[in-house]
Amino acid sequence: MAVVKMLAVTLVGPKDEMEYVASQMVLMGGFQPLSLDLLLEDRNLRSRVRTVTENPYDELLMKLAHVWQTAGEVIPEAVPLPVPQDFTLEKARFEVSRVSGRLELWAKRRIALEEELEALEAADLCVQALESRGMSLEELASVEHLTVFFGKLSEENYKRLEESSQDVPLLVIKLGTWGQETWVLAFTIRSYADEAEKLLNSVYFKRFSLSDVLRLISSSNKPSESLEKRIENLKRAIDGLASAAKAYLDKNREELERLFSLVYTMQRIYDLCRGRGEVGDMYVLSGWIPEDLLDHVRKMVEEKAPKSAILVEESKSLPYQGVRVPTFLRNLPLVRAFQDVVAMYSLPAYGEIDPSFFVAVSFCLFFGFMFGDVGHGLILLLAAQLMQKRRMIRRSLAIVLKSAAATSVFFGFLYGSLFGVEGILPALWLSPMENMGNLLAISVGIGVVMVTLGMVLNIISAFRRRDFGGMLFDGRGLAGLVFYLTCAAAIYASFSGKDLPIPRWILWALIALMLAVMLLRDVLARYLLKERLAPGKGVLNAFEVFHNLLSFLSNTISFLRLAAFALNHVGLSLAVLMLSHMVHALPGGLFFGVLVLVAGNAVIIALEGLIVFIQTLRLEYYEFFGKFYKGGGSAFRPVQWRKDLKALRSRSNA
Amino acid sequence: MSFSPLSAGECTTVGAKARVLYGRLLSDMDYWEILQCDTVPEIADYLQRAEGYREDLSTLIAANAHRAELEDRLRAVPVRRAKAFMSYLSGPRRDFLRAWVERFQAEQLKRVLRWLLSGHGNREEMRARLQEMPLITLSFDALLSSRTFGEALESLKGTAYYAPLKEPLKGLSEGRMNLFPAEMAIDALIIASLYRTTLRLPLLERHYVLELVGGLVDLLNIYWLYRALRFYSMGKEEALNRLLPVRHKARFSLLRSLSHAKDLDEFWSLLKETPYATAFGDFPPQDELVLERSLKRFFYRSALRAFRSGSPSFHTMVAYLMLLEFEVMDLVTIVEDVRYGYDRRMGALFLARPIIPEGVVSWQ
């Protein structure tokens, strides 16, 4: 359980080895590219390195995806394929253009047919609209003193045209709206024709010539019938072209899917290479890898790309100190789900302690303690399983919920509580209502343990940062810890009436000494450890000590909520039982009694479960994390296999 | 009117967050400090130390910072902040925020179209910058791979941009039109959609937001008519046709009267009767820069007023985002002033934030 150590690796070699090296990095799945700008401090060297960001396979992939789009199918799942050495960019281009060339030809033909269809449909619509208004197309086409416009525009633009044409010699007649398009006839005087055309152009009016319409219907006695017949034929031809694409895809599916996967693999490889540097015939590829992958990468480079060299740098030796090293957490499978609980607060910064394990243990403990009930826990467990199965919640959240529910069942046995009823099951440990005092004492004890753990982790963090002053003399360091534990021991002794193995005056002396150490933190760090500190922080430190003293008390007392919510759970369950008994005496009492029981328990599980969940998070984030955790890390994002497929697929669906 | 504890919780959360983030905006003193920088890297270095920009510029190497690079990083800041609010919102409030940030994506789309037309600029640099921008939903990879406007249009299929851009891009492909109609179509789509989502906000949250967005709609319409009158040889009706398809307080009758104004004096006398008379400053303007400054300051003051109004709620977030946008706009202006060696005091006169002569009273 830890934040995995990361290494900045730079691969340098001849360009002909780049594709292989990059493909191995993609298939390995643990390489996050790093901009060369961040690595090359030397501006002279930087100016000589050309950064290449284009991906030549983007375009090829789009063209190939078009094959499935034309056939009206969803783009297939790409599978990672070992790319043959002879599958060069030129070959890929040739293969893709061979496939897409034929489809492009069909697409062009289809566009031409669609344009023809549009003209025929416009003619049909014009004829029908004029007939219904008792107007003659021949007369309209031959008017001398007017200019007639026939065409379509969007509904929104039609409204604009209606508004703007109020004061000009332009008469606009709406013929009807079909689909999202409005068809109109517009009349204007000859002298205003040019202005009218500009006006119509400004609303993107698509004009159809009336003489063209006349020509289309001139050869037939029954123009409407003839037009409809031709429209049908054209539609059939367009459908035929679409089904040809489908037939072509069906016939060559296997080959096309393989080509798609190959091009997709190459596209991912070049995505990794995006931002690579080139100097003459050499490539430079930099990025982060987890430390344990280094041997694998070295071996691969030595065996398969012998002319390439691998340079490894640790984060401390990078030229720019501001570079943020990505955080990669590695934990046991169950603990991994709790990484999301930590990430919800903030991801650990690189080098910081990963609290996921402590969170996993304490989260389950707190939840079970507050919501201990065999029946409620089991229902919560089933609900979490169901929601995970139906993909209503993420897997990690489902695991967190199930773990919390399992400890709820465990504590239910300890409390002897089944759906809030005590007595059915024997209490293996204690009954919350009967042992209230013990429960409160235990919850404060848990608080002391958690606050202590938080401070111990802070001491470790300070040691790692080489902040020895903070580690020894700070309120959250060793001095604070001794102070806190001494106070806790003194309070325990006075409440329990027990004697401690050391005299009381030593306790008080230790408390006073530690308080003095905390107040003089900066002075001690400067004189004893020779640390250089920023001046003028004396007053601030006094306030910090005061704040720490208060937080010792408030953080510990805050854990009383563990007992409070355990009691609350019993209380609520009792209230539901009492309500159920009260309605029992009414007509239909049995039914209403059961109804109140079911509804009441549902409310307890949903509402109280949610509140306990929030309280658990609060204890983790505020009382525990507040002692040692900063966060602010950025996640390690290696080049992923299926990054762009989603975008392609959404385009296809659209 | 719809009210629920959940929506009240959403509004209070984003309102409180906006107030906290407002505290991270630059002070007038910061503005002066930045104006005194001599180079772009100095500005980058200063901003990297400012609380409001530290995180966003953390991966920028200040010593090597280039003007365009810094400007692009800065322009992405308002979208990043908006994204931070997104997870708290649902329903019409979330729709509004989506429509709000869509303006930034639309700007990128216009940029790609300009690049496609002119052929100037580095495609890969644009691609890299787009990767910095959050909440991108268009397939910019496909757009940047386009060789023609037809291909670009094909890449937009299935998006809201396809229908309004169909004819303008076709006209552009055939050489019948320039880029102007396409840009106007994008603006019309985005601003109209923003205004419509504003109208769908629950009544309690709509008031201040509608004042801001409605003001934006009206001023864009009026400003367009002013430009048509002053600079373009365009028919009155054509100018009216190019207006946004939505209106707030400036109704069609007013806009028609403005479009029919014979000269700027008549335009001004008509405008004087509207709530937007002060937005244009001294009129007729002698200098376009002064006019633009007046408009920016009108919006800035409106946003500040909205931010200070009422208890923290949804409108506080919108006003904060608007103020942040103006701050970024000012920073971009200053970066350009510094890069090209303009007089800084003159530059300060044209910023949205009125830091000359006495500036605004700092308030949190």
Side-chain angles (χ1 to χ4, degrees):
Chain A
M1 51 155 199
V3 177
V4 177
K5 190 176 177 186
M6 303 298 289
L7 298 171
V9 296
T10 301
L11 292 145
V12 186
K15 269 197 219 169
D16 59 346
E17 285 187 354
M18 186 189 73
E19 274 186 12
Y20 180 79
V21 171
S23 70
Q24 290 305 306
M25 294 296 189
V26 169
L27 297 172
M28 184 178 72
F31 184 83
Q32 178 181 322
L34 179 62
S35 170
L36 281 175
D37 291 351
L38 295 171
L39 283 176
L40 301 176
E41 192 180 28
D42 185 340
R43 293 184 86 167
N44 282 332
L45 178 61
R46 194 167 167 270
S47 64
R48 267 180 278 158
V49 177
R50 194 167 69 89
T51 309
V52 186
T53 48
E54 69 189 300
N55 189 336
Y57 287 89
D58 277 351
E59 193 185 340
L60 299 185
L61 199 66
M62 284 289 166
K63 280 187 174 175
L64 264 183
H66 193 62
V67 174
W68 277 267
Q69 284 167 1
T70 315
E73 282 193 21
V74 176
I75 296 166
E77 285 288 324
V79 286
L81 288 179
V83 183
Q85 286 213 322
D86 63 338
F87 191 77
T88 56
L89 180 61
E90 283 68 33
K91 187 170 180 188
R93 274 205 184 112
F94 173 76
E95 291 284 325
V96 173
S97 64
R98 184 175 60 82
V99 172
S100 61
R102 184 180 299 192
L103 284 157
E104 270 176 19
L105 207 68
W106 292 345
K108 271 183 195 161
R109 175 78 188 126
R110 203 181 71 188
I111 289 168
L113 288 178
E114 278 171 351
E115 276 175 11
E116 202 179 326
L117 178 70
E118 191 182 44
L120 283 173
E121 282 178 336
D124 189 30
L125 209 135
C126 182
V127 169
Q128 285 180 28
L130 292 181
E131 264 178 21
S132 67
R133 283 170 176 74
M135 293 164 84
S136 155
L137 179 62
E138 288 80 3
E139 284 176 17
L140 211 56
S142 59
V143 286
E144 282 182 16
H145 302 294
L146 289 174
T147 303
V148 186
F149 298 90
F150 164 66
K152 63 178 180 178
L153 71 174
S154 71
E155 182 64 21
E156 198 167 73
N157 281 335
Y158 169 71
K159 280 181 193 152
R160 285 177 173 176
L161 181 65
E162 230 184 355
E163 282 179 346
S164 62
S165 61
Q166 284 170 12
D167 299 331
V168 292
L170 179 72
L171 175 66
V172 182
I173 300 171
K174 183 177 177 179
L175 297 176
T177 302
W178 288 273
Q180 289 177 331
E181 286 160 337
T182 299
W183 291 80
V184 296
L185 262 180
F187 299 86
T188 188
I189 50 174
R190 291 269 182 210
S191 58
Y192 192 71
D194 289 345
E195 289 299 311
E197 196 166 351
K198 273 190 199 169
L199 190 58
L200 289 167
N201 281 342
S202 67
V203 284
Y204 310 117
F205 175 79
K206 170 128 196 203
R207 190 181 179 187
F208 293 90
S209 156
L210 281 177
S211 47
D212 283 349
V213 175
L214 206 57
R215 186 174 47 75
L216 283 169
I217 60 167
S218 60
S219 56
S220 169
N221 292 331
K222 292 179 180 172
S224 269
E225 273 179 31
S226 141
L227 280 173
E228 273 163 24
K229 210 172 173 183
R230 287 173 69 184
I231 287 170
E232 277 306 307
N233 287 340
L234 270 178
K235 279 183 178 168
R236 263 201 295 277
I238 291 169
D239 287 346
L241 279 175
S243 56
K246 175 101 176 70
Y248 177 76
L249 179 62
D250 284 340
K251 195 178 164 193
N252 303 290
R253 189 173 294 274
E254 207 172 307
E255 184 201 341
L256 286 170
E257 283 183 359
R258 188 173 179 280
L259 182 63
F260 184 76
S261 285
L262 274 176
V263 172
Y264 190 75
T265 308
M266 289 310 294
Q267 197 256 2
R268 299 313 305 144
I269 290 168
Y270 269 83
D271 197 59
L272 184 146
C273 302
R274 190 178 286 181
R276 71 189 182 274
E278 287 184 1
V279 194
D281 283 337
M282 306 285 280
Y283 76 90
V284 187
L285 190 62
S286 292
W288 297 107
I289 60 164
E291 189 187 31
D292 51 5
L293 276 183
L294 181 63
D295 287 343
H296 176 76
V297 175
R298 267 193 209 286
K299 201 174 161 200
M300 177 272 294
V301 170
E302 276 167 17
E303 284 177 8
K304 303 285 183 181
K307 285 182 255 169
S308 293
I310 178 165
L311 312 168
V312 183
E313 281 173 290
E314 291 200 19
S315 57
K316 282 173 199 157
S317 55
L318 288 176
Y320 284 98
Q321 290 304 310
V323 176
R324 206 194 281 177
V325 186
T327 307
F328 180 36
L329 302 178
R330 190 172 282 157
N331 281 301
L332 299 167
L334 191 67
V335 177
R336 212 172 293 147
F338 287 86
Q339 282 176 194
D340 280 5
V341 176
V342 176
M344 225 170 14
Y345 182 89
S346 182
L347 203 67
Y350 183 72
E352 201 177 5
I353 290 173
D354 172 19
S356 303
F357 174 75
F358 303 110
V359 169
V361 174
S362 57
F363 191 97
C364 295
L365 173 75
F366 298 163
F367 192 90
F369 200 98
M370 289 192 269
F371 199 69
D373 191 298
V374 177
H376 293 154
L378 280 174
I379 290 183
L380 193 61
L381 191 73
L382 289 173
Q385 176 65 26
L386 192 73
M387 285 193 287
Q388 184 189 3
K389 205 174 173 187
R390 294 194 171 180
R391 294 172 185 244
M392 289 162 75
I393 52 175
R394 286 164 63 182
R395 188 172 170 271
S396 59
L397 179 60
I399 293 175
V400 169
L401 279 178
K402 283 192 274 186
S403 311
T407 44
S408 174
V409 173
F410 176 69
F411 271 86
F413 281 116
L414 293 182
Y415 296 158
S417 173
L418 180 72
F419 290 112
V421 183
E422 293 182 1
I424 300 174
L425 296 172
L428 299 177
W429 182 34
L430 54 79
S431 161
M433 287 306 251
E434 287 167 17
N435 299 282
M436 239 182 256
N438 282 350
L439 204 68
L440 288 167
I442 291 163
S443 59
V444 173
I446 293 174
V448 172
V449 172
M450 289 306 292
V451 172
T452 305
L453 178 64
M455 286 161 77
V456 169
L457 293 176
N458 190 52
I459 290 170
I460 298 171
S461 294
F463 177 76
R464 285 189 186 176
R465 289 196 308 271
R466 304 270 170 216
D467 175 15
F468 297 114
M471 183 184 88
L472 295 173
F473 311 129
D474 191 66
R476 287 181 299 168
L478 192 62
L481 182 62
V482 174
F483 175 86
Y484 176 70
L485 289 177
T486 316
C487 284
I491 292 168
Y492 170 75
S494 72
F495 270 86
S496 64
K498 289 179 185 169
D499 284 333
L500 292 172
I502 47 169
R504 289 210 167 194
W505 69 267
I506 294 184
L507 280 185
W508 291 113
L510 202 56
I511 289 171
L513 179 67
M514 288 304 120
L515 196 60
V517 168
M518 286 189 280
L519 280 168
L520 297 171
R521 180 191 68 183
D522 291 351
V523 179
L524 292 172
R526 191 177 299 146
Y527 290 105
L528 297 180
L529 304 171
K530 311 288 178 207
E531 283 186 2
R532 291 178 67 188
L533 301 162
K537 285 200 167 177
V539 182
L540 193 67
N541 187 37
F543 277 104
E544 264 183 37
V545 171
F546 180 63
H547 172 259
N548 282 330
L549 293 179
L550 279 180
S551 69
F552 286 149
L553 187 68
S554 64
N555 291 154
T556 312
I557 296 292
S558 191
F559 280 85
L560 275 175
R561 73 190 66 228
L562 289 175
F565 276 93
L567 292 170
N568 177 49
H569 182 77
V570 181
L572 265 177
S573 303
L574 276 176
V576 170
L577 277 175
M578 281 165 69
L579 272 175
S580 169
H581 282 301
M582 281 163 74
V583 295
H584 218 267
L586 300 173
L590 184 65
F591 170 74
F592 287 112
V594 172
L595 190 70
V596 167
L597 264 183
V598 172
N601 275 291
V603 168
I604 289 174
I605 294 168
L607 199 64
E608 208 205 324
L610 178 69
I611 293 169
V612 167
F613 192 87
I614 292 168
Q615 292 299 331
T616 308
L617 283 180
R618 188 208 185 278
L619 287 174
E620 297 289 350
Y621 291 164
Y622 191 73
E623 322 302 349
F624 183 46
F625 281 15
K627 288 274 168 279
F628 71 99
Y629 190 64
K630 284 196 175 66
S634 60
F636 174 57
R637 290 198 178 86
V639 179
Q640 295 283 321
W641 175 244
R642 296 186 199 290
K643 191 179 149 203
D644 292 341
L645 216 55
K646 250 189 208 165
L648 273 176
R649 196 162 286 129
S650 63
R651 275 197 63 213
S652 163
N653 292 340
Chain B
M1 179 166 52
S2 70
F3 176 81
S4 72
L6 203 64
S7 62
E10 275 184 18
C11 293
T12 311
T13 310
V14 293
K17 191 178 169 81
R19 288 247 167 128
V20 172
L21 290 174
Y22 178 83
R24 293 186 192 169
L25 291 181
L26 298 173
S27 65
D28 287 2
M29 191 55 79
D30 287 323
Y31 265 56
W32 284 115
E33 293 277 348
I34 297 168
L35 275 162
Q36 280 166 16
C37 289
D38 290 325
T39 60
V40 175
E42 269 183 46
I43 297 178
D45 183 51
Y46 189 91
L47 289 175
Q48 271 183 335
R49 285 182 278 118
E51 206 181 353
Y53 295 90
R54 191 182 300 151
E55 182 74 21
D56 304 286
L57 303 180
S58 62
T59 55
L60 180 80
I61 298 163
N64 301 334
H66 186 264
R67 177 190 64 82
E69 190 185 5
L70 179 60
E71 285 180 9
D72 282 333
R73 296 280 187 119
L74 289 173
R75 284 193 182 106
V77 172
V79 197
R80 283 167 183 266
R81 275 318 160 275
K83 191 189 170 197
F85 286 103
M86 197 68 90
S87 55
Y88 300 107
L89 297 170
S90 62
R93 284 172 288 271
R94 196 182 170 88
D95 293 345
F96 174 87
L97 196 57
R98 270 254 158 234
W100 179 269
V101 292
E102 190 60 33
R103 293 176 306 133
F104 297 91
Q105 177 158 259
E107 272 312 310
Q108 298 301 323
L109 177 61
K110 284 198 258 179
R111 218 168 156 185
V112 171
L113 294 179
R114 281 197 286 271
W115 161 77
L116 204 55
L117 181 72
S118 67
H120 296 311
N122 185 329
R123 185 175 75 157
E124 297 315 318
E125 264 177 24
M126 290 175 78
R127 205 195 285 264
R129 297 290 164 261
L130 278 161
Q131 280 178 347
E132 297 274 328
M133 191 74 98
L135 301 174
I136 290 286
T137 52
L138 291 178
S139 173
F140 276 98
D141 264 351
L143 276 164
L144 286 168
S145 304
S146 309
R147 289 155 300 181
T148 63
F149 286 105
E151 284 179 6
L153 186 65
E154 196 63 24
S155 321
L156 293 171
K157 226 174 198 170
T159 70
Y161 294 93
Y162 182 76
L165 280 178
K166 199 174 164 185
E167 284 304 321
L169 289 189
K170 215 170 170 185
L172 203 53
S173 292
E174 292 162 4
R176 286 187 284 115
M177 295 177 190
N178 54 23
L179 201 55
F180 184 62
E183 292 192 331
M184 291 287 274
I186 293 174
D187 286 341
L189 172 77
I190 295 305
I191 303 293
S193 141
L194 180 64
Y195 187 70
R196 284 171 189 142
T197 52
T198 310
L199 292 179
R200 285 199 291 273
L201 283 173
L203 194 64
L204 286 173
E205 292 128 45
R206 194 188 311 158
H207 175 69
Y208 295 115
V209 182
L210 192 60
E211 282 299 303
L212 292 175
V213 177
L216 178 73
V217 165
D218 283 346
L219 281 174
L220 282 176
N221 275 335
I222 296 171
Y223 188 49
W224 160 247
L225 290 176
Y226 158 78
R227 288 172 67 86
L229 178 68
R230 184 157 189 179
F231 301 111
Y232 307 133
S233 56
M234 188 181 276
K236 299 172 179 64
E237 287 72 28
E238 201 184 333
L240 281 175
N241 273 341
R242 302 244 189 234
L243 288 173
L244 297 172
V246 284
R247 274 124 222 185
H248 183 51
K249 286 179 185 164
R251 301 280 165 199
F252 184 70
S253 52
L254 169 71
L255 297 173
R256 189 168 58 183
S257 313
L258 288 172
S259 75
H260 282 64
K262 287 187 204 74
D263 50 31
L264 288 175
D265 286 331
E266 192 183 337
F267 190 92
W268 174 236
S269 62
L270 285 166
L271 193 64
K272 252 193 333 195
E273 308 304 318
T274 71
Y276 301 112
T278 53
F280 287 81
D282 297 329
F283 207 91
Q286 299 307 309
D287 187 342
E288 276 306 296
L289 281 176
V290 176
L291 178 77
E292 277 180 28
R293 193 268 315 265
S294 302
L295 279 171
K296 279 197 284 188
R297 288 198 176 169
F298 179 82
F299 284 126
Y300 179 81
R301 289 197 177 102
S302 305
L304 204 56
R305 210 166 33 243
F307 186 82
R308 293 169 178 178
S309 306
S311 52
S313 186
F314 186 70
H315 73 273
T316 319
M317 179 204 76
V318 179
Y320 158 73
L321 288 174
M322 209 163 180
L323 291 171
L324 175 68
E325 222 175 300
F326 280 113
E327 184 171 289
V328 166
M329 217 183 273
D330 282 347
L331 284 175
V332 169
T333 309
I334 296 174
V335 168
E336 278 168 8
D337 288 346
V338 169
R339 170 67 184 81
Y340 298 110
Y342 296 140
D343 184 325
R344 309 295 154 74
R345 196 166 171 81
M346 283 303 287
L349 281 170
F350 295 102
L351 301 176
R353 172 92 65 97
I355 57 171
I356 291 178
E358 69 277 346
V360 282
V361 180
S362 148
W363 182 92
Q364 284 185 35

